[in-house]
Amino acid sequence: MITNGPQIHKNKNIEFVEVIMIILYNVVMLFHEIISKPIIIAIGVLWFVWFLSRKRNKWNVVQKLAFLACIYVPTSFVSVLGTSYGHFPLTWYHLALMFAYILIIFKGFSAGFYFYSPFLMLFFGILTLWTSVGITDSIKQLLTIVLFIISFFIGEQISKFSNEEFEAKLKSFYLISVFSFSLVVIIQRVCADYLQLVVGYYDVIGENRIVSAGLMNDYSFATLYIATGAIWLVIDYVDNKLINTWKFIMCEAFLLMSILLVNSRTGLFALVIAMSFYLFVKMVQGKVKSIFIIMGILLIIPFVTQYIVENRGGQLLFEGSGRGKLIDSAFQVFLENPIFGIGLGTSNWGTLTGLWLPHNMITQYLAQLGIVGSILLYLNFLVLAYKYLKYKTGLFWVLLTVLIGAMAIPDIVSSRFLSVLIMITIISSANKKLQRKENRVNITS
């Protein structure tokens, strides 16, 4: 005990340092537009090198890059040059994923469906470039989809040399990043409301509807990202018993406040729907905590509803904001181009249809990719369900929250956090599978 004590204390300090560094990095990056670009580039390089150089004996480089992918989600719409992703489409998040992919390829891997899937999509995308008005725009979206599909492969390969400790660390980095992002949203609103300083993605829409999304370029992405952290906490509280009641209440209140400050309904609605299913299942199973949460939700619904209505510039709570028309139009585009779709590229879509991208995952990719491309994309989810989700980890409910939200927002594969959640789900499921095998061996021996 005497020899282990200082080591335990040291490990706690290291984790505290990690939390502080992640928060500081996110806060500093919020002000990247008013800080000189050389300083932002230097901060990015130093942070990346600092993290990779730590704990060399505990985690390998690929595992550290997976950690970084989680950590970089809140800042993944800022390029490595300190500009917006639109001006230079390469971020530290993308570098972490690409480096992980390259290292896995060079170190050796087991080829399976997830290895071939990105190449099939890339081949399909290249074949359909002839339909594009702007090839650069099409290639940009194609590479985004390909990188998303690669996350399935990365998760599967990392799962082969991961354990429960690595999984727990990966989950903790994800949650820390969600809380850091929530803090950034609050700081963003404080700067705008009290310092008259506008930073990050902040705007006034319609009749005085103030929206703020930290550094994410989509307000729906922002609320959905925070919602994934909120439902994850519920799972940790009800099933995993990793957090006590008071901490749970304070953490959920903090996340709810940040969701309301973003002022987009998507994440909140997706959270309510997914959590309703989850809590119903747990209530049937006799989980007392689920009843406690349901009572809490019923108590705050009137206040949350009133806040949303008052802060949406007169817009009705369940008003679709034109989503239905966009979805209908996209389905008509699909019917006219059923095999290969109208082609990729967000600007191309606007040029060819005169409309915004449809706010629905299914109709968007049917319209853009057609039946062939959609099958190539959705096969990845079907394999995930068949091969991994059957092990029933809590990540199913987190993924369900994102997929419900994806029915009301465009281009979900560019959200970053879905890719990270895919990797964590595969790793968690692989560990659950290994646990079951070990339990069967112990029973028979």
Side-chain angles (χ1 to χ4, degrees), residues 44-113:
V45 172
L46 289 173
W47 210 98
F48 188 79
V49 172
W50 169 79
F51 192 90
L52 287 181
S53 64
R54 301 179 71 250
K55 295 187 178 181
R56 295 180 182 178
N57 297 327
K58 194 172 186 63
W59 314 111
N60 63 41
V61 177
V62 174
Q63 289 174 318
K64 290 180 183 178
L65 289 168
F67 292 152
L68 282 172
C70 289
I71 294 167
Y72 281 136
V73 168
T75 58
S76 59
F77 290 90
V78 178
S79 77
V80 293
L81 301 181
T83 63
S84 69
Y85 177 74
H87 285 94
F88 187 74
L90 182 65
T91 71
W92 289 107
Y93 163 83
H94 292 99
L95 284 178
L97 280 187
M98 287 189 289
F99 285 153
Y101 180 70
I102 292 168
L103 285 174
I104 289 170
I105 295 297
F106 277 98
K107 287 187 174 183
F109 61 93
S110 56
F113 172 77

Side-chain angles (χ1 to χ4, degrees), residues 210-237:
I210 300 173
V211 288
S212 50
L215 291 171
M216 290 193 179
N217 68 356
D218 188 292
Y219 308 108
S220 295
F221 281 178
T223 55
L224 195 53
Y225 179 50
I226 300 170
T228 62
I231 195 166
W232 205 328
L233 279 179
V234 172
I235 296 165
D236 277 349
Y237 177 66

Side-chain angles (χ1 to χ4, degrees), residues 39 62 125 160 171 196 224 275 307-308 312:
I39 293 176
V62 174
K160 299 180 187 304
K171 289 179 178 179
Q196 284 72 54
L224 195 53
M275 195 182 295
Y307 178 89
I308 294 173
R312 289 188 64 82

Side-chain angles (χ1 to χ4, degrees), residues 178-197:
V178 170
F179 276 93
S180 298
F181 177 74
S182 299
L183 177 62
V184 163
V185 169
I186 294 170
I187 293 173
Q188 184 181 39
R189 288 299 291 268
V190 169
C191 288
D193 294 346
Y194 298 101
L195 303 177
Q196 284 72 54
L197 175 63

